[in-house]
Amino acid sequence: MSSVENHPGKNIIRVQLRQNFLLKDMSESQCAELEPHLIVVDCHKGDVLLHQGVHEMEQYFILEGILKRVVTNQQAKEMILRFAAEGDMETSYAAWCLKTPTPYSIVCVTKAQVAKLPLQQWVAFLDRHPEIKKTFEFCVMSLMSEIMAHTITLHLLDAPGRVHRLLRKHPDLFDRVPKKELASYLNLSAETLSRLKQRGKI
C-alpha cells in the first residue's frame, strides 16, 4: 500500500483517477483535496477488500482489474450481485448511512489495483462538495436499482435470456470475467454456460 504521491506510478494513477466516472468532472483543487486521503493497493485474484458483516468501511476507486460484490449465506453459498471494472467504484455507503454492518463482501475477480479511503473521510469530503455528493448518491441508487433488476431477471428469464441480458448490459465483461464467475452471477452452472455457447445460443 502506498499514498498516491509516494507511488512509483503516481502519474499514471492520477490519470486513471481522472478517468473515473465519479471523479472526472472534479476541479484541480478538489482533486488536490482528495488525493492525500487515497491509498493505492495492489491486489491479487481472490483478495477480499471488504468483508461481509463488518462496520469498518471504505470507498474504492478501481484503477485496474475487476471486482465483484458478493453475498454469502450461512451455508457458504455465494450470490454475485455485480461486477465493477476500471473507471468504476465500489462502496458500502448505504450501510454506512444506516449504521448497519456491510451486507456484502467486495472481492477481486482478477488482479487489480484500487485507490481507497475510509468511508468516513469520503463522506466528509462529499459534505464539503454537495454537487459531487449529489452525483455519488444518484450513482449509489442506480447501482441498487441495477442489482434489483438483475435479481429479478434471475427468476423471470431463462438461461439464454439471462446471458443475452448480460451481453447487452455489460458486453465488455463477458470476455474478461472467468466463465465460472459469470455462470455464478447468472445462477447457472459453468457447464450450462459452456453448453449454451457450443450450441450457438449465445
Side-chain angles (χ1 to χ4, degrees):
M1 293 192 296
S2 168
S3 66
V4 175
E5 176 61 35
N6 293 329
H7 196 282
K10 62 183 178 183
N11 292 332
I12 294 173
I13 288 169
R14 284 171 176 149
V15 171
Q16 290 170 318
L17 287 169
R18 293 309 297 261
Q19 292 171 341
N20 186 281
F21 78 96
L22 194 60
L23 308 179
K24 62 184 176 66
D25 294 325
M26 287 188 359
S27 67
E28 290 297 329
S29 62
Q30 289 169 336
C31 290
E33 180 184 345
L34 179 63
E35 184 183 297
H37 299 291
L38 294 173
I39 298 296
V40 179
V41 184
D42 293 299
C43 313
H44 299 287
K45 178 180 177 180
D47 283 357
V48 180
L49 294 175
L50 180 73
H51 289 272
Q52 182 176 327
V54 302
H55 285 274
E56 295 296 322
M57 305 178 199
E58 295 176 311
Q59 173 71 24
Y60 306 94
F61 299 103
I62 306 168
L63 305 175
E64 294 178 15
I66 300 174
L67 311 182
K68 65 179 177 180
R69 187 184 291 195
V70 59
V71 174
T72 307
N73 67 12
Q74 291 181 338
Q75 288 73 43
K77 181 176 174 58
E78 288 189 351
M79 178 180 181
I80 299 174
L81 301 177
R82 73 180 293 252
F83 296 107
E86 300 89 352
D88 204 342
M89 62 94 180
E90 258 301 354
T91 189
S92 49
Y93 179 71
W96 192 89
C97 290
L98 294 169
K99 296 180 170 56
T100 57
T102 51
Y104 45 76
S105 299
I106 297 172
V107 183
C108 296
V109 175
T110 65
K111 181 180 177 182
Q113 186 180 65
V114 302
K116 68 175 188 174
L117 73 163
L119 201 47
Q120 185 173 0
Q121 291 181 5
W122 173 240
V123 171
F125 175 82
L126 293 176
D127 287 340
R128 294 192 295 272
H129 303 284
E131 71 285 0
I132 302 174
K133 183 175 183 177
K134 183 178 178 180
T135 301
F136 173 70
E137 290 185 337
F138 179 81
C139 171
V140 170
M141 288 188 290
S142 296
L143 292 179
M144 292 170 70
S145 177
E146 170 60 25
I147 289 169
M148 185 179 295
H150 166 67
T151 305
I152 291 169
T153 60
L154 293 181
H155 297 281
L156 295 183
L157 297 180
D158 60 9
R162 283 177 248 165
V163 179
H164 286 305
R165 182 180 185 274
L166 174 67
L167 287 168
R168 188 178 74 253
K169 302 285 285 186
H170 307 287
D172 54 314
L173 292 178
F174 193 78
D175 291 324
R176 296 187 60 199
V177 175
K179 295 300 178 281
K180 182 180 178 182
E181 301 273 7
L182 280 179
S184 177
Y185 176 68
L186 297 169
N187 198 26
L188 303 172
S189 69
E191 292 76 19
T192 298
L193 185 61
S194 176
R195 193 160 56 245
L196 287 171
K197 192 169 185 180
Q198 289 172 358
R199 291 178 180 176
K201 299 284 189 180
I202 55 175

